[in-house]
């Protein structure tokens, strides 16, 4: 049974940091693209970061680029999202997802590595999500 367990959410002041974790059970995360999505109240779900199969590449939404860093630890079968310089716009429910849907996370022969996409249809399994609140 595939299971994704997120941890590390909570409340933080503006300018602060949090590190989210996404631990996989029943699958090897490195064989999939792993993405982080978030949804704020009244807003659409937003793909914010992903790491490709085998960790060949990463991608970030413009809203978090330069502030968030995605990484993986194969020994722990866990993907992390380090979030720095948080602001109130980052308040949302954060969810990790894994996927290998064809056409979304394909091998790029130009870069000789896998890519990942920040589009929800590219992901097969989703965690339950956790709350991140940034307020003063």
């Amino acid at each position: 049974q595939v299971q994704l367990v997120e941890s590390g959410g909570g409340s933080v002041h503006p300018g602060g940091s949090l590190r989210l974790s996404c631990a996989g059970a029943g699958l090897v995360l490195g064989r999939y693209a792993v993405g982080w999505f978030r949804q704020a109240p009244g807003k659409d779900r937003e793909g914010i970061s992903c790491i490709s199969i085998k960790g060949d590449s990463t991608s970030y939404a413009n809203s978090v680029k330069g502030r968030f860093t995605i990484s993986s630890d194969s020994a722990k079968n866990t993907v992390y999202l380090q979030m720095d310089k948080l602001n109130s716009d980052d308040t949302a429910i954060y969810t990790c997802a894994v996927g290998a849907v064809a056409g979304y996370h394909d091998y790029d022969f130009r870069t000789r590595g896998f890519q990942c996409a920040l589009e929800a249809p590219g992901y097969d399994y989703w965690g339950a999500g956790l709350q991140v609140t940034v307020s003063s």
Side-chain angles (χ1 to χ4, degrees), residues 56-121:
D56 289 345
S57 65
T58 59
S59 184
Y60 299 92
N62 288 334
S63 59
V64 305
K65 195 172 294 183
R67 300 187 299 123
F68 290 12
T69 305
I70 192 169
S71 62
S72 64
D73 185 333
S74 59
K76 296 182 178 180
N77 204 31
T78 299
V79 168
Y80 302 98
L81 184 68
Q82 177 66 40
M83 307 188 297
D84 299 318
K85 300 178 182 178
L86 287 162
N87 59 62
S88 59
D89 290 338
D90 297 316
T91 295
I93 294 175
Y94 286 70
T95 308
C96 70
V98 299
V101 179
Y104 288 92
H105 315 295
D106 295 339
Y107 187 82
D108 186 333
F109 288 92
R110 296 171 301 168
T111 61
R112 299 184 180 181
F114 286 94
Q115 306 298 309
C116 64
L118 295 174
E119 298 163 82

Side-chain angles (χ1 to χ4, degrees), residues 17-39:
S17 299
L18 285 172
R19 188 178 78 159
L20 305 184
S21 300
C22 175
L27 79 172
V28 177
L29 291 183
R31 297 177 182 172
Y32 298 83
V34 180
W36 283 98
F37 293 78
R38 69 183 182 185
Q39 187 165 20

